[in-house]
Amino acid sequence: MTLNELKIKESAEVLSINCDNVLKNRLYSFGITKGAIVRIEELTLTKSTIEIKINQSKIALRVSEAEKIEVKYAE
């Protein structure tokens, strides 16, 4: 499953990030790494942007970026 498939208020653990190194480094700088727990906070009306919470930070990602992050439901 990928990050963009989660619903609002659902949490998941990052399993892998499948993208080029430029985007991967950007995501790493936000703390989005393998094993990190992320939570979906909001979706825009057009569902083109996702707001996620990781640690104490909120980050907005494009759906095209979220599609590259493989996750599983957090336990």
Side-chain angles (χ1 to χ4, degrees):
M1 155 180 19
T2 56
L3 186 60
N4 63 301
E5 296 175 47
L6 295 176
K7 294 178 176 54
I8 294 175
K9 305 300 180 198
E10 288 185 332
S11 296
E13 178 183 349
V14 176
L15 297 177
S16 65
I17 300 172
N18 307 307
C19 60
D20 60 48
N21 284 333
V22 174
L23 179 56
K24 192 176 285 191
N25 288 334
R26 182 172 158 257
L27 295 173
Y28 285 168
S29 72
F30 293 139
I32 302 171
T33 59
K34 185 177 180 180
I37 304 295
V38 297
R39 177 181 159 127
I40 304 297
E41 292 293 316
E42 292 292 332
L43 296 170
T44 57
L45 291 175
T46 60
K47 296 189 177 168
S48 61
T49 306
I50 300 172
E51 180 184 329
I52 64 169
K53 186 172 185 179
I54 182 164
N55 299 324
Q56 298 302 315
S57 300
K58 288 188 177 180
I59 301 160
L61 295 177
R62 294 178 193 96
V63 169
S64 61
E65 296 168 338
E67 290 172 343
K68 296 173 178 16
I69 302 171
E70 189 175 333
V71 297
K72 70 174 182 176
Y73 286 110
E75 298 174 11

